[in-house]
Amino acid sequence: MSLSILHVAPFFSPKVGGVETHVAAVAAEQVRLGNQVVVITQAHLPGLVSEEQKNGVQIFRLPISALGKKLQTWSAIWKLRHHFLGRDRIYIHDVGWWLLPVALHLNTGFAMVFHGWEGVYPVRWQAQLHRWFLAQFAWRVIHVGSFIGRFYWDAAHAVIFGGVAQKNTKPIAKKRSKRKVKIIFIGRLEEDTAVRQYYALAKLLRKRGVAYDLTWVGDGSLAEECAQVGTVTGFKKNVDVNLIQADVVWAASYLSILQAQAHGKLVVGLYSNPLKQEYLRSYPGAQSMIIGSNVETVATTLQAVLKNTQRWSQIERGAWEFARDQSWTKVATIYEAVWRK
């Protein structure tokens, strides 16, 4: 049976980011399964059209003039209120406050999908209260990561970690370099992604005589500092080329970790607070990663693995075997299953 599905997300393609990738992949999978899918989102750049269709998904964008302004956002949502009516499924990704103008007009329930955290630790009680309040009005709640249940007040009906495109779930047979290790970092170059720890790791490895080429695939306030120990490329919509060439991947988010593991890569995850520790260690593929907060300990472990070809290959194989089962089809199935509970 074909369903009419609505996703409301803060941003969408062509913006590059974890939530954007997640929503786009789930929507595309729902279309592939024969459903009618609409996405309401926010324009993040001048010149983006207010309405278009991509990969079978109908996209409506709030005007960029409403960006960061509650009254303008609510006004724009009110003008699009007819898109909220008659839907079989409504999924709200983080921006529950957008619903205020249309809340009394909804003729179906909605599911809240909470992604990640606000980047401030300890988590502010206002953020905890905000999510709890939205969850009281939601028919179902989905958490992207089990760590959310520990650091926030709302309870989830389902926990997911993201998915990968199945065309990318192939281990890349790569000849080990005897001269330089190719390392890439994927993510925002900010404090909350432990970039300072990764920077310290890079300097320590160099001090210990490890030869490497480091590429920072991302951008942020720490970009200039990162450029001192590697090349900063900025954000890329497709990082598969970088992943194929990499020996080791430093990753800060579930999707970048999954994508790296889908290519059979050794992933290093650093954390700087208890929330990020839980974020990484509760990830189901964590057993095929190197995870830690102490830079010297992580450097020693990484060096030992790089010197042990058999151990290195075992970790890569385990990473690939886990990631290949994390399809977007599986994620879309959970989205539907939580609705039917």
Side-chain angles (χ1 to χ4, degrees), residues 221-236:
S221 62
L222 299 178
E224 187 174 340
E225 191 171 339
C226 293
Q228 298 174 16
V229 292
T231 302
V232 177
T233 67
F235 291 111
K236 290 188 175 182

Side-chain angles (χ1 to χ4, degrees), residues 76-275:
I77 288 291
W78 177 251
K79 292 176 182 177
L80 296 173
R81 61 189 181 279
H82 58 283
H83 292 294
F84 289 82
L85 304 178
R87 300 294 174 187
D88 299 304
R89 309 284 187 266
I90 298 178
Y91 300 100
I92 312 296
H93 300 265
D94 290 330
V95 287
W97 62 273
W98 284 18
L99 285 181
L100 185 60
V102 298
L104 297 179
H105 299 271
L106 296 179
N107 54 6
T108 186
F110 65 91
M112 280 299 310
V113 186
F114 292 121
H115 299 255
W117 59 305
E118 294 77 20
V120 177
Y121 186 84
V123 178
R124 294 175 298 178
W125 67 267
Q126 294 92 333
Q128 295 169 320
L129 180 62
H130 177 72
R131 292 197 184 191
W132 176 86
F133 182 80
L134 292 174
Q136 304 316 299
F137 291 92
W139 195 63
R140 290 290 183 266
V141 176
I142 298 173
H143 286 174
V144 182
S146 58
F147 76 98
I148 296 175
R150 177 178 171 183
F151 291 91
Y152 291 83
W153 298 342
D154 61 288
H157 297 91
V159 176
I160 54 181
F161 292 86
V164 291
Q166 290 305 287
K167 65 179 181 180
N168 292 332
T169 55
K170 296 179 181 178
I172 305 299
K174 189 177 184 302
K175 187 177 180 180
R176 307 293 188 198
S177 172
K178 295 182 179 180
R179 292 174 294 179
K180 286 190 175 183
V181 179
K182 292 187 179 296
I183 304 172
I184 68 166
F185 172 92
I186 304 175
R188 294 179 298 106
L189 305 183
E190 302 290 353
E191 295 279 358
D192 64 282
T193 56
V195 166
R196 290 201 185 278
Q197 283 72 23
Y198 286 111
Y199 174 82
L201 177 60
K203 295 194 73 173
L204 181 57
L205 290 174
R206 184 159 291 168
K207 183 179 179 180
R208 291 185 178 186
V210 178
Y212 63 81
D213 284 324
L214 172 58
T215 302
W216 303 87
V217 182
D219 204 351
S221 62
L222 299 178
E224 187 174 340
E225 191 171 339
C226 293
Q228 298 174 16
V229 292
T231 302
V232 177
T233 67
F235 291 111
K236 290 188 175 182
K237 190 168 186 178
N238 187 345
V239 298
D240 287 325
V241 173
N242 299 88
L243 286 172
I244 290 170
Q245 296 173 347
D247 297 307
V248 179
V249 178
W250 296 350
S253 68
Y254 290 143
L255 285 188
S256 55
I257 293 170
L258 265 170
Q259 196 171 1
Q261 290 187 324
H263 283 291
K265 299 299 179 179
L266 168 61
V267 181
V268 175
L270 290 175
Y271 60 85
S272 57
N273 60 60
L275 184 149

